[in-house]
Amino acid sequence: PRLLSQFFFADERVTQVVAEINGLDAELDPQQYLVLLNQLHLSQAHLLAVLEQIMEECIPTQRHSRDYLVKFPEELLVGNLGNHMLFAAECLLAGTFLEVEEADGAQLRPQARKLLCSLELVRTVLREQSLSQPSSYPEPVRAVLVQFDWLFAEFELSYVSSMVVVKSPEEIYRQQEIIVLFCETVGRALRLGYVTQDMIDGYEPLLMFTIPRLAIISGLLIYPEGPLSLERSPEQMSRVFSPFYNLLKKIRDLLQVLSAEELCLLERSLCTAE
């Protein structure tokens, strides 16, 4: 159960797979080469996962902030981003620019080199510690982990910023406005009886359609200064809604001629229609 012991065997597995890859002629056996590459990917992911647990246990208050992750596109955060960054650093050090422009890659190479050197130092130090005192983390071990964590975070931010357009502070604020709008919409729907707490607690699938529909009405009529404010230009709106600027105007004009009873009837119908 000790994390340092887990790290030792995870590190052994990575070393073993690398040795097998180095001893294989990829041209003579390309299929086995691909199998080993996949095994390397999986073993490195496991190694990083154990290392993450060790850092959380050993240096929880000294870690680099990961607040910058909110700037990244959601699709990047679904998979194993850490392992992807490690692979990217290895490619950059080998002179391969898969996802970034060559000029950006050249600027990132020093960071990649520092990161990979730091990882090798971490592996060496943790292996030695696991063989001597697998239940403690002396100060030299902590210092090595802190350095690696900071280098990893700095490289991750720099690499992703070169690879994709990260969200600006303004876009993040607009997304937070949308979150608030949806929360207010849910509260209002509960008060008016459009939805029930049981539906929310039970993750009723219909809510995936109901809440956004009600949020559009709330954003156009009840909270007109919020994220759906049509007083802003499309460029000032969140990218979630800006492509539908003209359509939202038409919807608002139609809503404004409805009576209170008609609006209630419309909202109730939106809670049931599929």
Side-chain angles (χ1 to χ4, degrees):
R2 290 177 296 194
L3 288 175
L4 281 175
S5 298
Q6 294 178 35
F7 183 88
F8 176 85
F9 289 106
D11 186 74
E12 281 279 282
R13 179 56 181 160
V14 171
T15 302
Q16 176 189 352
V17 176
V18 169
E20 291 180 23
I21 290 176
N22 291 337
L24 181 71
D25 190 328
E27 293 184 358
L28 293 179
D29 196 347
Q31 185 173 359
Q32 179 61 17
Y33 181 71
L34 292 176
V35 169
L36 289 176
L37 278 182
N38 184 59
Q39 290 180 5
L40 178 60
H41 177 81
L42 294 175
S43 60
Q44 285 180 330
H46 179 56
L47 181 72
L48 288 179
V50 177
L51 180 55
E52 177 70 20
Q53 294 180 62
I54 290 175
M55 290 190 291
E56 279 298 304
E57 179 178 88
C58 181
I59 55 169
T61 61
Q62 298 171 277
R63 302 202 60 183
H64 191 293
S65 171
R66 293 311 198 272
D67 289 346
Y68 59 80
L69 290 175
V70 301
K71 297 182 177 182
F72 292 178
E74 285 77 7
E75 58 270 18
L76 281 183
L77 304 177
V78 175
N80 191 332
L81 183 59
N83 204 40
H84 184 82
M85 290 299 101
L86 181 59
F87 177 71
E90 292 170 340
C91 288
L92 287 173
L93 204 58
T96 304
F97 309 106
L98 296 178
E99 300 171 311
V100 297
E101 297 294 332
E102 185 172 348
D104 293 329
Q107 291 184 342
L108 288 166
R109 284 188 72 183
Q111 281 185 278
R113 181 178 293 105
K114 288 181 181 179
L115 172 61
L116 294 176
C117 288
S118 178
L119 176 60
E120 286 305 307
L121 179 58
V122 165
R123 291 177 64 184
T124 300
V125 169
L126 289 184
R127 281 175 64 90
E128 293 174 353
Q129 188 65 24
S130 67
L131 293 172
S132 58
Q133 293 178 306
S135 299
S136 64
Y137 301 101
E139 185 54 39
V141 173
R142 294 173 183 269
V144 168
L145 290 172
V146 169
Q147 181 188 43
F148 170 74
D149 184 53
W150 278 75
L151 288 174
F152 198 105
E154 294 296 331
F155 176 77
E156 184 174 60
L157 177 58
S158 298
Y159 186 84
V160 174
S161 298
S162 299
M163 183 175 63
V164 298
V165 177
V166 299
K167 299 172 186 173
S168 66
E170 292 76 18
E171 179 64 19
I172 294 172
Y173 178 75
R174 292 172 192 144
Q175 288 192 339
Q176 291 173 338
E177 283 188 315
I178 295 173
I179 293 172
V180 172
L181 172 62
F182 273 59
C183 290
E184 294 290 343
T185 297
V186 170
R188 179 173 174 270
L190 285 170
R191 290 194 302 272
L192 296 176
Y194 296 154
V195 300
T196 65
Q197 190 63 49
D198 287 342
M199 294 172 66
I200 296 174
D201 294 340
Y203 301 102
E204 172 62 45
L206 184 60
L207 294 179
M208 294 181 63
F209 302 96
T210 297
I211 300 305
R213 291 167 176 172
L214 295 178
I216 290 174
I217 294 179
S218 296
L220 293 174
L221 290 185
I222 301 170
Y223 309 108
E225 297 180 359
L228 286 181
S229 172
L230 298 178
E231 300 304 317
R232 305 174 181 178
S233 66
E235 293 75 20
Q236 294 174 314
M237 297 179 70
S238 168
R239 286 180 287 181
V240 175
F241 295 114
S242 59
F244 310 103
Y245 185 82
N246 291 329
L247 178 59
L248 289 170
K249 273 191 170 183
K250 293 178 181 179
I251 295 175
R252 182 196 60 182
D253 294 342
L254 290 172
L255 293 174
Q256 287 177 336
V257 302
L258 297 179
S259 65
E261 292 78 10
E262 289 171 331
L263 180 61
C264 179
L265 181 62
L266 171 62
E267 289 185 307
R268 287 192 179 280
S269 68
L270 292 178
C271 295
T272 57
E274 297 184 2

